[in-house]
Amino acid sequence: MVSAKFLSNPTLADFSHLLKPDAKQGIREKINIDLDKGIVQADTPEEAAQLPAILAGMATARQIQAAAGIAAVLPMAKCGTTLEKAKYDFMMERKTTLRDSTWRKHSGVLNGFIKATGNIDVAMVSAKTLTDYKKGLLALGRQANTVNDHITILNGFFEYCNGNDIVNMVNPAKNLYIVDADNKSESYKPFTVEELQKIFQPALYRKKLKLPDFYWCPLIALFTGARAEEIASLDVGQIYPVKGIWIIDILKGKTDNAKRRVPLHQTLIDLGLVEYRMSLLRAGYTKLFPHIQPGTNGYRKNMTRMFGTYLDLPDVNIVDPLKVFHSFRHTVVTALTGKGVNDGLKRAMVGHDIDTRLSSHDDYIHASELTVPNLHEAISRLAYEGIDFERLKVSQDDFLPIIAKRIIQQAEQKKKKAEKAAAKAKAEAEAKAEAEKKANAKPAKKI
């Protein structure tokens, strides 16, 4: 890089390679060049003879500097990798480190960015591309903190592209944050009527969501507002009748208000949830989804991941990062509000305090004292138009062979994993013993 000093105030020393040794001392202090003022002075013919070469060198240097400045602003030549290809590689790597909900949020943000900009070459994305995208989000009414979330994800994506030799460019998402944005995350959104119709289209739903947890969890969430972990971790014994009304007894959850009894909507009974419970009891199972193995994030991991994949299907195509499994919770609260259900009843059903108060009298409503019939009447108001629930129904006995097969597969995988770990430990022990044997062996005597 040419120095700023050289361009603004050059001296003859910068061009010493153009002068003969015996000429340097004679003219070093006598040539005066001030291009800003248009002054070029030489006192002797020898000095004047050097001026064309000096000025040519300065012109070349200025051209190099100008080209460098343009390169820093304009996108580089195409790198040969599209945004979709880079996104796929990035998300495959991030899948090993991100929670399911966070992974889906990353995927949704990148999908939205590519939809807005087009599936162009990574190297053609400039700071202006990102600035225009940010302006577009704000024009859609997105909160500043949500826009910053998008910028954070995109910043990480382009850092990945640079770090993995996909492209060599200045990160276009750098320093684009909205300053002083509230750190509070934007809430997940409820599903619209049209989106629910896409999710619960009978043929696709039955074809793609064949496992019992994949099939039942979204339906239970749609009519209870329960959290993913609350549903996926249910015991069979947590579904039972009270005064002739079937309920789900949620014993623990995310907050102190999570413990509650939620009546079953008639649609869930018609679809066969009680029948499914009975078949599990007859088979000797204690968990509602006995094939699920708990992990770091509890029981919900595979189910929520599969649901996210389902939303991304072309026939569903719900890619908004704020539309996830948890959106069912917001959908239920929104639907109950639309049916005139008061906040006390809503709190009792979904298990948390709702910020909006319909009146000061809500302070006198104690959710724990509300009766099951009260709650049943309220939850029975839930109705979702345009969904053919009758065609969603499947034979509950069909789930038992699937569950048994999965449990056998898991046992085999667990056995293989244990055998592999044992073989590795044995190999390491043998290698260590061999190394110690060699270290302790006496050197042979020289003859």
Side-chain angles (χ1 to χ4, degrees):
M1 179 69 67
V2 178
S3 70
K5 177 180 179 300
F6 170 77
L7 292 175
S8 61
N9 189 25
T11 68
L12 199 61
D14 294 311
F15 298 93
S16 59
H17 61 287
L18 299 174
L19 304 175
K20 295 180 180 180
D22 58 349
K24 293 180 185 177
Q25 296 300 322
I27 64 173
R28 183 181 299 276
E29 304 298 335
K30 296 182 179 180
I31 294 181
N32 180 24
I33 300 175
D34 189 339
L35 293 183
D36 292 334
K37 295 181 180 180
I39 299 173
V40 180
Q41 295 178 337
D43 292 342
T44 67
E46 289 83 357
E47 296 168 11
Q50 302 299 326
L51 288 178
I54 293 173
L55 294 175
M58 291 185 67
T60 300
R62 287 183 178 273
Q63 289 174 354
I64 294 172
Q65 182 75 357
I70 293 172
V73 177
L74 295 178
M76 61 177 283
K78 292 184 178 181
C79 66
T81 301
T82 64
L83 287 172
E84 277 288 355
K85 177 60 171 64
K87 182 205 77 173
Y88 175 83
D89 294 339
F90 174 69
M91 293 308 300
M92 287 298 291
E93 180 176 299
R94 298 295 280 158
K95 202 165 193 175
T96 62
T97 59
L98 295 178
R99 292 189 307 170
D100 295 335
S101 57
T102 307
W103 185 89
R104 175 165 168 74
K105 183 176 182 179
H106 277 59
S107 180
V109 167
L110 292 174
N111 285 337
F113 176 72
I114 295 171
K115 183 177 180 180
T117 62
N119 185 27
I120 61 178
D121 190 278
V122 175
M124 302 311 293
V125 179
S126 65
K128 185 179 185 304
T129 308
L130 269 295
T131 300
D132 290 344
Y133 176 68
K134 181 174 73 170
K135 290 178 180 177
L137 292 176
L138 292 171
L140 291 173
R142 289 294 177 86
Q143 298 176 11
N145 58 287
T146 300
V147 174
N148 281 351
D149 284 345
H150 283 237
I151 297 301
T152 296
I153 293 170
L154 290 166
N155 183 69
F157 170 67
F158 287 107
E159 284 295 321
Y160 166 86
C161 291
N162 268 315
N164 287 270
D165 296 328
I166 294 173
V167 70
N168 181 20
M169 64 191 293
V170 175
N171 189 331
K174 192 174 182 179
N175 300 324
L176 289 182
Y177 294 105
I178 300 174
V179 297
D180 298 327
D182 186 357
N183 290 327
K184 183 178 179 182
S185 297
E186 187 171 352
S187 176
Y188 289 114
K189 298 177 181 177
F191 292 116
T192 65
V193 172
E194 293 75 16
E195 288 169 339
L196 289 175
Q197 291 170 357
K198 289 181 179 180
I199 293 170
F200 295 104
Q201 47 185 303
L204 185 68
Y205 192 87
R206 293 198 313 267
K207 178 181 178 181
K208 297 294 183 180
L209 305 179
K210 293 182 178 180
L211 288 177
D213 54 324
F214 294 173
Y215 174 85
W216 275 117
C217 287
L219 288 165
I220 293 173
L222 181 66
F223 285 103
T224 65
R227 300 176 178 91
E229 183 63 19
E230 292 173 341
I231 302 171
S233 63
L234 282 172
D235 291 336
V236 173
Q238 288 176 254
I239 300 178
Y240 57 87
V242 173
K243 296 181 180 180
I245 299 172
W246 284 91
I247 67 160
I248 296 177
D249 191 355
I250 298 175
L251 302 175
K252 60 181 179 179
K254 184 177 180 181
T255 67
D256 293 337
N257 298 314
K259 185 177 180 180
R260 62 199 186 278
R261 296 191 297 181
V262 185
L264 288 186
H265 194 282
Q266 186 60 42
T267 301
L268 292 176
I269 297 174
D270 292 342
L271 284 170
L273 183 57
V274 174
E275 181 186 345
Y276 171 66
R277 169 204 184 265
M278 296 296 189
S279 68
L280 293 173
L281 281 176
R282 289 193 295 268
Y285 294 118
T286 59
K287 301 294 293 183
L288 192 65
F289 306 111
H291 59 290
I292 300 179
Q293 298 296 316
T296 305
N297 295 320
Y299 290 84
R300 69 183 184 274
K301 180 178 180 180
N302 288 337
M303 182 275 294
T304 53
R305 177 175 291 177
M306 180 61 191
F307 184 73
T309 301
Y310 181 76
L311 292 183
D312 290 336
L313 292 175
D315 289 336
V316 182
N317 195 32
I318 300 175
V319 297
D320 188 333
L322 297 180
K323 300 287 183 75
V324 296
F325 188 90
H326 199 74
S327 294
F328 284 122
R329 191 166 172 79
H330 295 259
T331 301
V332 169
V333 172
T334 302
L336 290 173
T337 301
K339 295 294 183 179
V341 176
N342 69 58
D343 282 4
L345 287 167
K346 286 184 286 188
R347 283 196 292 269
M349 283 186 282
V350 299
H352 71 103
D353 293 329
I354 299 168
D355 293 333
T356 56
R357 288 174 29 177
L358 298 182
S359 75
S360 60
H361 294 162
D362 282 345
D363 291 334
Y364 299 95
I365 298 175
H366 298 276
S368 61
E369 300 300 319
L370 295 170
T371 66
V372 168
N374 291 149
L375 298 173
H376 184 255
E377 190 279 329
I379 212 163
S380 295
R381 299 185 195 180
L382 283 176
Y384 300 102
E385 62 182 66
I387 301 175
D388 190 347
F389 289 105
E390 181 62 31
R391 290 180 57 210
L392 281 171
K393 189 172 183 178
V394 298
S395 173
Q396 300 307 305
D397 288 335
D398 290 345
F399 285 131
L400 292 180
I402 296 175
I403 291 171
K405 183 178 180 180
R406 291 291 295 221
I407 291 174
I408 291 172
Q409 289 174 341
Q410 290 166 359
E412 290 175 347
Q413 291 172 357
K414 187 176 181 179
K415 182 181 177 181
K416 289 180 180 179
K417 187 176 181 180
E419 290 174 347
K420 186 177 180 179
K424 182 180 179 182
K426 182 180 178 182
E428 290 175 349
E430 290 175 348
K432 183 178 179 181
E434 183 65 24
E436 291 175 350
K437 182 180 178 180
K438 290 180 179 180
N440 295 330
K442 294 181 179 181
K445 293 182 179 181
K446 294 183 179 180
I447 301 175

